[in-house]
Amino acid sequence: GQNIDQPTEMTATEGAIVQINCTYQTSGFNGLFWYQQHAGEAPTFLSYNVLDGLEEKGRFSSFLSRSKGYSYLLLKELQMKDSASYLCAAGDSNYQLIWGAGTKLIIKP
Amino acid sequence: GAVVSQHPSWVICKSGTSVKIECRSLDFQATTMFWYRQFPKQSLMLMATSNEGSKATYEQGVEKDKFLINHASLTLSTLTVTSAHPEDSSFYICSAGQGDYNEQFFGPGTRLTVL
């Protein structure tokens, strides 16, 4: 079956670094997406990985290991505005996105 | 990036009435549009996938006669919640995709409250 696993909730301190992990099992694989969703708003795109390795984009980086079915989103220099849910989604062979349940990230001063 | 709009942003209606939500891709042609529902503190739940000019594919457990989806053009899809009930109150979000690339561009969502 197809499945995405990510932690339900994480807490971190302002200014620190946090890593949100995601493991996936899909029928075929066409990339791994990370989205950010603030409460009451629609998701916004953060990153896309289809090759192994680390993609860096400002304070956010995303890593992919296809052989392990594993990805993580790394957030540096955390700010209060980073408090949100982070959704991991994997594209399967039919180019459908399989969504994780999201990780709620709580930032404390 | 690509822009997707939704209308209305929020709607309050009486039980038993029907509500139509529009989803438009403003600066690109969306071959596929997706409709999601999200209850408070829960993740996105895909309701249906629609390709322009063909019938929508509904996820298991989603009543196609209750949630009518029309994707008449490459820039517009509509979701009609028929005979709405309080349990249909939710945040409805559409997204649009292009071709085979998985990335979906999300609309801002429509908050539906059924009294």
Side-chain angles (χ1 to χ4, degrees):
Chain A
Q2 306 202 100
N3 191 51
I4 304 282
D5 282 319
Q6 54 181 128
T8 303
E9 186 174 296
M10 298 181 71
T11 302
T13 305
E14 189 177 16
I17 299 173
V18 71
Q19 177 174 312
I20 303 174
N21 296 323
C22 170
T23 58
Y24 63 89
Q25 285 180 305
T26 56
S27 301
F29 179 72
N30 280 300
L32 195 290
F33 293 82
W34 284 96
Y35 284 83
Q36 180 191 59
Q37 186 179 26
H38 285 100
E41 299 181 10
T44 55
F45 171 78
L46 288 179
S47 68
Y48 170 68
N49 294 66
V50 67
L51 300 176
D52 287 349
L54 187 68
E55 295 274 346
E56 297 186 73
K57 193 183 293 185
R59 293 190 298 115
F60 292 6
S61 303
S62 56
F63 171 83
L64 175 67
S65 169
R66 288 175 299 173
S67 62
K68 296 181 179 179
Y70 167 70
S71 174
Y72 68 72
L73 179 69
L74 190 71
L75 294 78
K76 302 177 184 176
E77 302 170 16
L78 286 170
Q79 301 175 10
M80 297 304 293
K81 67 178 182 179
D82 297 330
S83 293
S85 287
Y86 292 85
L87 307 175
C88 171
D92 69 7
S93 57
N94 294 319
Y95 293 93
Q96 295 281 352
L97 279 182
I98 310 301
W99 291 88
T103 299
K104 182 179 180 181
L105 178 62
I106 299 168
I107 310 295
K108 295 184 175 180
Chain B
V3 179
V4 176
S5 70
Q6 270 184 252
H7 177 81
S9 298
W10 57 271
V11 57
I12 302 174
C13 69
K14 293 182 179 180
S15 185
T17 60
S18 293
V19 175
K20 179 185 283 189
I21 303 170
E22 290 186 352
C23 177
R24 292 181 185 274
S25 57
L26 299 184
D27 53 0
F28 70 101
Q29 293 186 326
T31 52
T32 306
M33 285 189 170
F34 304 86
W35 285 97
Y36 293 87
R37 180 166 54 181
Q38 186 175 37
F39 293 105
K41 299 184 179 181
Q42 294 186 24
S43 188
L44 298 172
M45 187 188 80
L46 180 65
M47 298 175 68
T49 303
S50 74
N51 294 298
E52 184 264 340
S54 61
K55 290 184 179 180
T57 301
Y58 290 80
E59 295 299 301
Q60 193 171 10
V62 179
E63 300 173 58
K64 63 180 181 181
D65 295 329
K66 181 172 180 62
F67 299 99
L68 302 178
I69 293 173
N70 184 282
H71 191 167
S73 76
L74 286 171
T75 59
L76 173 64
S77 177
T78 60
L79 167 68
T80 302
V81 183
T82 62
S83 187
H85 291 283
E87 56 265 33
D88 298 323
S89 298
S90 186
F91 191 43
Y92 290 86
I93 310 171
C94 75
S95 70
Q98 293 176 283
D100 288 339
Y101 188 49
N102 289 111
E103 183 176 1
Q104 298 178 22
F105 303 95
F106 284 87
T110 298
R111 189 162 302 281
L112 170 64
T113 302
V114 183
L115 302 178

